[in-house]
Amino acid sequence: MIQKLEDYGQQHLLRFYEELGKEQKEKLLKQIEEIDFGILSLVKSNSEHKKGKIEPIEALKIDEIAPNRVKYYQTGLHTIQEGRVACVLLAGGQGTRLGFDKPKGTLNVGIDRELYLFEILIENLMETVRATGGTWIHLFVMTSDINNDDTVSFFEENEYFGYNRDYVTFFIQEMTPAVDFEGKIYLEEKGKIAVSPNGNGGWFTSLKKYGILDRKECSGIEWLNVFSVDNVLQKMADPYFVGATVESGYPCGSKVIKKAYPDEKVGVMCKENGKPSIVEYYELTPEMISEKDPSGNPAYNYGVILNYLFRLKDLDDKVNKNLPVHIVEKKIPYIDESGTQVRPDVPNGYKFETLVLDMINLMDDCLVYEVVREEEFAPIKNKEGQDSLDTARKMLIQNGKNI
Ligand SMILES: CC(=O)N[C@H]1[C@@H](OP(=O)(O)OP(=O)(O)OC[C@H]2O[C@@H](n3ccc(=O)[nH]c3=O)[C@H](O)[C@@H]2O)O[C@H](CO)[C@@H](O)[C@@H]1O
């Protein structure tokens, strides 16, 4: 192990080793053993994935969807009734911007009654279950080491909000180390490496690792609907979207909305080297933000709401190890050489993440499916202002929900 640490210039991780108790020592060594040190070379070589040629893309627009709604609905419902669609809820994130240190899904959104984010999602999924006449849909919930126990016990305490628990499976995503700007891994405590969830692109490999899709009762699944935890209007296994994607013959689909303002924090749908692709908001260039189409409207105006449908066999063929790794600047709490705790106010290093949105460009094509923002997108990201609990509550009320 010492050799391994020397090879990667990380000997400092054992700086406090002799001060540790037996159990702490073992834990630290286990952490070191599990770390994928190969990822660290990305910092030194600055070899972060570079995008190809980016161009605007057209969507299947709301008014183009309208004449085919009945057809899409029937195809979608039929596909779901046959057990060919499962849902993947991405709930491994940390909710840092919201300043809420429990799992985001346990946030109470109600005003006159208790109504939790997880509960809203389950209620929305139940709508589809009812529409199918009672076909339960598998729901796979991705958590992380940080929030798994709290998430599972929350579902248990609330009796799965009336959902059939046999159809709910939790799985834990992997963690990656946090490093300083030189690529040296931070210690969070004397015997603990600073790690964080490996980004929401980790879902497919973690799902596979758990063998969930290999279970007999999952053998009919052909499509996976992947979505985020924080959108109170999130529609899951939406028959219209499922039907439109199946009918399109494409291996995946992505729900998009028209962006509300140029710097809205949503990934932007575009073409990369001629194929559908998404540029995450923090990687948008000023040119992409300001570019106009021939009629003077923003050229890159379709934002993703993080609701994707993937055909399983294409994921199997294409994803594996091909996802690019994003190096993201973050504020990382750590202990310095003297063993003192430091909580930085400004970014002091990098975390490594893979992103679900990068899976779109790995697929051969994608249905870009426009939805009505007011009916499908009300995320809770911030404490106040835009995309906050307040704005989400307003949108729920506007949609006739009793909260
Ligand atoms: C990378 C990504 O998809 N970004 C999307 C995300 O931005 P946003 O910045 O909100 O992305 P977040 O990192 O907060 O995470 C989105 C979702 O992924 C989950 N998560 C995140 C990190 C992780 O390691 N594990 C994990 O499960 C979170 O719990 C959440 O459900 O939502 C926006 C819509 O609201 C989209 O326009 C963005 O393109």
Side-chain angles (χ1 to χ4, degrees), residues 90 92-93 97 142 173 197 199-200 228-229 266-267 280-281 304 381:
L90 304 177
R97 274 189 279 164
M142 181 165 87
Q173 71 177 106
N200 63 13
S228 63
V229 71
V266 286
E280 184 61 319
Y281 55 85
V304 292
K381 311 272 186 198

Side-chain angles (χ1 to χ4, degrees), residues 60 72 223 242-253 311 366-368:
L60 184 64
Y72 292 158
W223 295 90
V242 171
T245 309
V246 171
E247 294 274 348
S248 74
Y250 294 154
C252 68
R311 192 160 62 195
C366 175
L367 179 72
V368 184

